[in-house]
Amino acid sequence: MPVQTRNERFASASHDDFPAVTGRELEWKLTPVDKIRDLIDGELDGSAFPAEVSGAAGVTTEWIALDDSRVGSAGLAEERAAANAWSSAEKALAVTLTSEEAVAVTIERTGTDRAPRAAHTVITAAANARGLVVIDHRGSARLSENVEIVAEAGSDLTVVTLQEWDDESVHLSSHFARVDKDARLKHVVVSLGGAIVRVNPSVHLAGAGADGQLLGLYFADAGQHLEQRVYVHHIAPHTISRVNYKGALNGKGARTVWVGDVLIGRDATGTDSYEQNRNLVLSDGTRADSIPNLEIETGDIAGAGHASATGRFDDEQLFYLRSRGIDEAEARRLVVLGFLLDVVQKIGAPDLEARLVAAVEAELDAVAVV
Amino acid sequence: MTTLEIRDLHVSIETDQGSKEILRGVNLTISSGETHAIMGPNGSGKSTLAYTIAGHPRYTVDSGSITLDGVDVLAMSIDERARAGLFLAMQYPVEIPGVTVSNFLRTAKTSLDGEAPALRSWIKDLRGSMEALRMDSSFAERNVNEGFSGGEKKRHEIVQLELLKPKIAVLDETDSGLDVDALKIVSEGVNRVKENTGLGVLLITHYTRILRYIQPDFVHVFVDGKVAEEGGPELAERLENEGYDRYLTGSTVG
């Protein structure tokens, strides 16, 4: 019996509360579950996942116990791998922004081996705080984790999770965000490296006037599985959401999944939402799933829409560039780069943008774009 | 002195009903400094000629030739044609997300010249050209044609014409969708480039309106895929008064 409404999905912090995963479930059927059984059901090392947090005035960083009141304040695991991580993590990394002057924090996580691990992170922007938090993943890992994000009233928080893992890594990450009254959360998922990377952000627009901007960028090479299941829940009136995910696929077995659920609740009158996903297919032998879902429980909304498109190069764009003397390879590079960087331009963090431009250029250089 | 020569050009496109011939033996010669107006009703093949010169893959050349100073244009790729000195100002300029105007123009200039332009003079040229075409300097950092109005797209085409300095330019219905102020700005731009670089122009239009601002040396009336009549500027005046009706008797147009 499928769940009727997105927010009625079962949630629990305990692995045993979820039935065994068959791979046919709605939330698993597009994921290679047999390659991640250790993270779904196995024993996970729950000790603190190494993280270097750049310090700044107005930022506190601490390891807290899982029974701390901050844990669980933004959401709860909705599937078995997330619950496994939740019940295995021994400590949570808590990063709290309190400054009304914009601050930038980087959480560098470099994995060193492939032992299955669990992690838990809580990022909080206190009332009226402003800042950018970049979670930077590199190295090798098999990690299942939960990330909670709380944007308290009037805050303006940007969270970027950047996956530049090595080719063998597996990363399952559930993000739960709560956005309070008049707060603004920009949430960005960038997945470039890793064998299987699944990042599922759930954003709850809980306070009136809350604003959620969800951006994503992914580039799947041969054999890579990059998945993102995005959920935006408009709970309060006059909330705004924009979801914009863009991906490129190149090489045999390159696989991407994007599922975008938007639920406009009964009390969420006057809301405005739009979600879109676009995929650019650069070679044969790839598969992109793109599934937008929109549920509306109130008749009084300002706007709601969605768009999804997966296709090859736009020949007219190539023709236009080449008619100006730009050779074919360079024209293709510009079109792909432009297609993806469209999202990067919206992040609003110049240093990070420069780095992402370089990272995407490196992805393009590594493949013979056809 | 550059000459573009089109000889007995036959061009077709693939349709659901099979191959369809659009151009049926076009002859034209355009040299530096000359302005040729191609006028004709909708469906007569004017845009097909423009795109065929630029090398759009949709059009198949069945026979005939296009040469630039004797060199076979049809054997060149799209970008080779541009590097040889051909330019097409498009009727519907294409939007390119994520690529800024400034990056696009610098990349094109570098491709055409074989080396990157000197930064200082390039920025000065870019600003100067945008100013002359009444485009705010903020357009340089916007994505190519994205969110531009119809008039802004056309002015952006002429900025490119000015900066990329081709030898022969095809202007495909550059006047369509422009109000009279924008039409004057765009026409002044074309005239300025002609004066400064000795550009040869093939001006494709449905209406005589733009010919008040850009004086043609030759007028060619295009009907049913070929030139039906040729003359000087006086032919445009006659078309203004009489329209295309007298060419259309007995022929079918879309």
Side-chain angles (χ1 to χ4, degrees), chain A residues 85-132:
Chain A
W86 201 299
S87 45
S88 302
E90 291 159 14
K91 287 173 176 175
L93 176 66
V95 176
T96 306
L97 280 58
T98 53
S99 169
E100 292 190 22
E101 302 289 326
V103 291
V105 186
T106 306
I107 303 173
E108 283 187 25
R109 297 163 114 192
T110 305
T112 52
D113 60 48
R114 302 196 197 293
R117 303 187 68 132
H120 200 110
T121 307
V122 181
I123 296 166
T124 309
N128 300 313
R130 294 159 58 83
L132 163 72

Side-chain angles (χ1 to χ4, degrees), chain A residues 16-333:
Chain A
D16 297 338
D17 286 349
F18 291 88
V21 172
T22 64
R24 293 187 297 272
E25 298 83 354
L26 192 66
E27 66 270 33
W28 289 115
K29 65 179 184 183
L30 300 172
T31 314
V33 291
D34 287 337
K35 294 178 180 167
I36 54 170
R37 288 282 175 196
D38 55 339
L39 294 175
I40 297 173
D41 290 320
E43 195 172 315
L44 304 177
D45 176 354
S47 62
F49 195 95
E52 292 274 328
V53 185
S54 68
V59 180
T60 58
T61 304
E62 57 195 311
W63 289 96
I64 59 176
L66 266 284
D67 59 3
D68 188 287
S69 64
R70 283 169 279 182
V71 173
S73 58
L76 211 49
E78 290 187 337
E79 36 82 355
R80 197 160 150 119
N84 197 20
W86 201 299
S87 45
S88 302
E90 291 159 14
K91 287 173 176 175
L93 176 66
V95 176
T96 306
L97 280 58
T98 53
S99 169
E100 292 190 22
E101 302 289 326
V103 291
V105 186
T106 306
I107 303 173
E108 283 187 25
R109 297 163 114 192
T110 305
T112 52
D113 60 48
R114 302 196 197 293
R117 303 187 68 132
H120 200 110
T121 307
V122 181
I123 296 166
T124 309
N128 300 313
R130 294 159 58 83
L132 163 72
V133 179
V134 179
I135 317 171
D136 196 348
H137 299 100
R138 293 168 195 260
S140 62
R142 293 184 76 82
L143 173 65
S144 180
E145 65 158 350
N146 294 286
V147 177
E148 296 188 63
I149 300 164
V150 178
E152 291 182 0
S155 64
D156 186 345
L157 175 65
T158 299
V159 174
V160 180
T161 179
L162 181 49
Q163 286 69 243
E164 288 197 89
W165 297 111
D166 71 14
D167 292 346
E168 306 297 320
S169 291
V170 175
H171 184 197
L172 308 179
S173 185
S174 292
H175 287 217
F176 306 95
R178 191 190 82 215
V179 188
D180 292 343
K181 187 174 187 311
D182 296 328
R184 184 182 151 95
L185 171 69
K186 194 181 279 187
H187 184 273
V188 187
V189 177
V190 180
S191 292
L192 302 174
I196 300 170
V197 176
R198 176 172 135 128
V199 181
N200 298 348
S202 296
V203 173
H204 303 273
L205 301 172
D211 180 335
Q213 310 279 327
L214 283 76
L215 302 171
L217 165 63
Y218 47 93
F219 195 126
D221 299 325
Q224 250 186 328
H225 177 100
L226 303 178
E227 178 168 350
Q228 28 270 311
R229 292 171 174 266
V230 183
Y231 171 40
V232 179
H233 187 187
H234 287 261
I235 300 169
H238 302 291
T239 46
I240 299 167
S241 70
R242 290 288 180 273
V243 178
N244 186 10
Y245 272 66
K246 283 190 157 183
L249 299 90
N250 186 81
K252 197 161 186 288
R255 175 89 161 90
T256 65
V257 176
W258 179 85
V259 178
D261 294 334
V262 173
L263 169 60
I264 298 170
R266 204 165 293 113
D267 301 323
T269 53
T271 59
D272 184 6
S273 72
Y274 192 82
E275 59 166 348
Q276 70 163 332
N277 172 230
R278 296 191 187 281
N279 296 298
L280 187 56
V281 176
L282 303 177
S283 76
D284 292 333
T286 70
R287 177 175 164 182
D289 285 271
S290 179
I291 307 166
N293 298 304
L294 181 58
E295 278 183 85
I296 306 176
E297 293 179 339
T298 173
D300 176 17
I301 57 167
H306 60 73
S308 160
T310 298
R312 295 230 173 213
F313 268 106
D314 183 331
D315 289 339
E316 296 306 319
Q317 291 181 354
L318 287 180
F319 175 73
Y320 189 75
L321 293 172
R322 294 184 68 195
S323 76
R324 275 28 176 173
I326 299 169
D327 70 36
E328 187 171 4
E330 177 71 8
R332 284 178 186 275
R333 206 184 68 89

Side-chain angles (χ1 to χ4, degrees), chain A residues 246 314-328 330 334-335 337-339 341-342 345, chain B residues 51 56 77-79 82-83 87-88 90 94-99 104 107-108 111-112 143 145 157 160:
Chain A
K246 283 190 157 183
D314 183 331
D315 289 339
E316 296 306 319
Q317 291 181 354
L318 287 180
F319 175 73
Y320 189 75
L321 293 172
R322 294 184 68 195
S323 76
R324 275 28 176 173
I326 299 169
D327 70 36
E328 187 171 4
E330 177 71 8
L334 273 178
V335 169
L337 209 52
F339 172 81
L341 295 187
D342 183 39
Q345 288 173 346
Chain B
Y51 279 99
H56 195 287
S77 68
I78 303 161
D79 42 292
R83 292 198 293 273
F87 181 89
L88 170 62
M90 295 189 202
V94 181
E95 299 186 7
I96 306 180
V99 179
F104 161 60
T107 306
S111 301
L112 291 168
N143 294 332
N145 294 322
E157 295 292 286
Q160 294 171 49

